[in-house]
Amino acid sequence: MILTENLTKRFGGKAAVDCLNLRIPPGEFFCFLGPNGAGKTTTIKMLTGLLHPSEGRAVIGGYDIQQDPVEAKRVIGYVPDSPFLYEKLTGREFMRFVAGLYRLPDSHVMKQGEHLLELFGIRHVGDELIEDYSHGMRQKLSFASCFLHEPKVVVVDEPWVGLDPKNIRFVKDYLREKTREGVTVFMSTHTLSIAEEVADRIGIIHNGRLLHLGSVPEIMAMAQRPGSLEDVFLELTQGDET
Amino acid sequence: MTPVRSIAWAKRRIAVHSIASVRKESKLKVGVITFCAVGFWIGFFFLFKEGFQWLLDFGSSVGGAGRGIGNIILVRMLGVLMLAVFVMLTFSNILVAFSTLYRSREVNYLLQAPITFRAFFISRFFECVLFSSWALAYLGSPLMLAYGYTTHASPLFYAASLLFFIPYIALPAGIGSLITLALARIFPRLHLRTMILLAILAVSLLFLYWKNWLSAQRLSEDTILPALLDMTAQTQSPYLPSYWATRGILAGASGNYGEFAFNFLLLTSNALLIVWIAAETAQRIFYLGWSSLEGRERSRMRLFSQHLLGFADTALRGVPNPFRVLIVKDIKLFWRDPVQWSQFVIFFGIMAVYIANLRNASSHYQQEFWRSWIACLNIAACTLILATLTSRFVFPLVSLEGRRFWVLGLAPLSFRQLVWQKFWLSVTTTSLFTVGLAILSGFMLRLEPIYFALSVYSVIITNFGLSGLAVGLGTLYPNFQEDNPARIVSGMGGTLNFLLSVVYITLVVGAQTVILQSRVLGLYTNDWMFYTALVLVLVFITGISVISTLVPMLLGMRNLNHAEF
């Protein structure tokens, strides 16, 4: 469902992402970990077509994001870490707007849009302007709009900012449920306990290079000393930093 | 719904909610803005009407062939105005397209949606047209009404003007967007040195062109009419869109429907063609340009700017902290924002053209009447440039601190100190440009010592008044949610600041004009009367400058002390 071949992005002479090769099948929950500045957001921007790779390619749902961007984007749902929302639209208007971008019929917005607003607990504020929303409400609206077109691949960049524990649990469970329906989830996060809990596989990127790739037990086994994923992550990324 | 229609629908809803939110604004602010906007519109109408009437009478008296010559001059002037508007719209669209297509946060959001770059461009293009053309609608409507009124045009003239308006704004918007698309594709790949050389070359060529075009010969009553017609002949080229629009509107007004339809279709088809070419170009090169801009190498730029910023840091060594760090921070943020820079460069362009044209102005007018008028107009020009500087660059300074109040608010620094720091920064930097401009223009116009001193004093004192207005109103009506200075300025507070700045300048320049013109007209029987009036005017402009500085500053500081973040 997500395939990257030698995906590389250079800013000037420096490679922010260097020859990234990934193959993530349908229904997998993939967590992408790495220290600050490791290349996670640059990778996500290339997967979603927001950045043009210097070399290599990314294929989403069978579509090359560079060759066939419109079809590839049609199967992607993206939740950025600080989502852009139109402050002077209401939540319900924003859902209708997103539906228009994806060419969804009005009936779909009425049914699925209301269902998602309800599911994410923001239906009661659906007619209020987004400028009056709290940070958490904005994040929930961003999630609700992401699932409006029923994407096959969901790319999530550090989604937990602003969400309370109850909502973190809800989003986590919802994403897991979606993977069971065959949706591929690509999540970048620093919250290692959540990654340990939900991930089918983990990729650790550092200085633009993919250092380790495997299931949680496989990653844990790579460490010299046993411990939590946090201990293992620190051990695996510390060596390169020094 | 298609994506383009969906975006248009969302924009419409945003406009509706924005208009509705005006109810939340201070009634005094809305009232003053409405009053000033309507007042200025009426003022412009009368100004244009009187100007057109003067041209009509002037043409008739000089030409000696009745009103026929006057009418010819009026048609030529309409052509000049249309061409000037076209050029300004093209430049304005280059800048607006850059921020709308490449720099807006919305771009990232829209680009991850499944829409073609063509559709993306078209949806953003409408926004470009709107942003760059609203001022034309505001200033153009009294102009066309005044023209129609003076020439006793039929109602068809107004209808034709309205009809031509849309293709006439779409064409420069298409050209401007095309240039921006090309620049964004080419420039990120160029070395800094090449970019600077190209910029210098372009500005020099433009400067030379304007200088030659504007430099008139020594004029007398016998030669002024042929010279005027010769100067405006370039606007009569059938290849210019301004010519099509002028011809079409005038043909419509006189009932010549064939010529009207021909010119309208010519303009519309060209506008559609350019927009289509721009959309197809966007489909092919927008993404590559945008991606290059996102990932361009910044190290060379950083190295270049570090030397200049390091110099500023060293030069301010004597200033005590925290003022020094605040000033250096403001300079660095300004320096590193290319959108701010691009607009600042335009100010230099305007100043350069103004100065280039002054050399001619001084030698043409030997009479005292004209010399005193030129002195007054020079003060008006200098202070208007200053007002534009403070409205555009100083007003947003406090608002831009909004998201940084977590650091400024917790620092051992009072808001009073912060606001005064902005004020002194503004006074110092704007004085560098405008007092220099006043001195230079005074020398070039060979002003008498008394006019010279008055010009320089007026510009110095208005630096305080306008900075006080801009910082004070920027603190009284801040927009802490917005990071984009251009958007902060275009809000209600920014509009109010600009309008009050113009009112203040009108009072300052008006007071001086009255006493200088009274002197020329011989209304003072002796020098003592003139100097008494001069002192009174100086006291008056100093007084209103103190009020313009202190009242908004104190109100703004009180507002900031009560603000919650």
Side-chain angles (χ1 to χ4, degrees), chain B residues 86 90 93-94 125 170-180 241 274-275 278:
Chain B
F86 191 85
T90 307
N93 272 291
I94 292 172
F125 177 76
L171 186 55
I175 295 170
S177 306
L178 254 177
I179 293 171
T180 303
I274 287 290
V275 175

Side-chain angles (χ1 to χ4, degrees), chain B residues 31-43:
Chain B
V32 170
I33 290 175
T34 311
F35 179 77
C36 287
V38 174
F40 278 121
W41 192 94
I42 294 170

Side-chain angles (χ1 to χ4, degrees), chain B residues 37-49:
Chain B
V38 174
F40 278 121
W41 192 94
I42 294 170
F44 284 131
F45 171 75
F46 282 106
L47 189 74
F48 291 135
K49 185 176 83 69

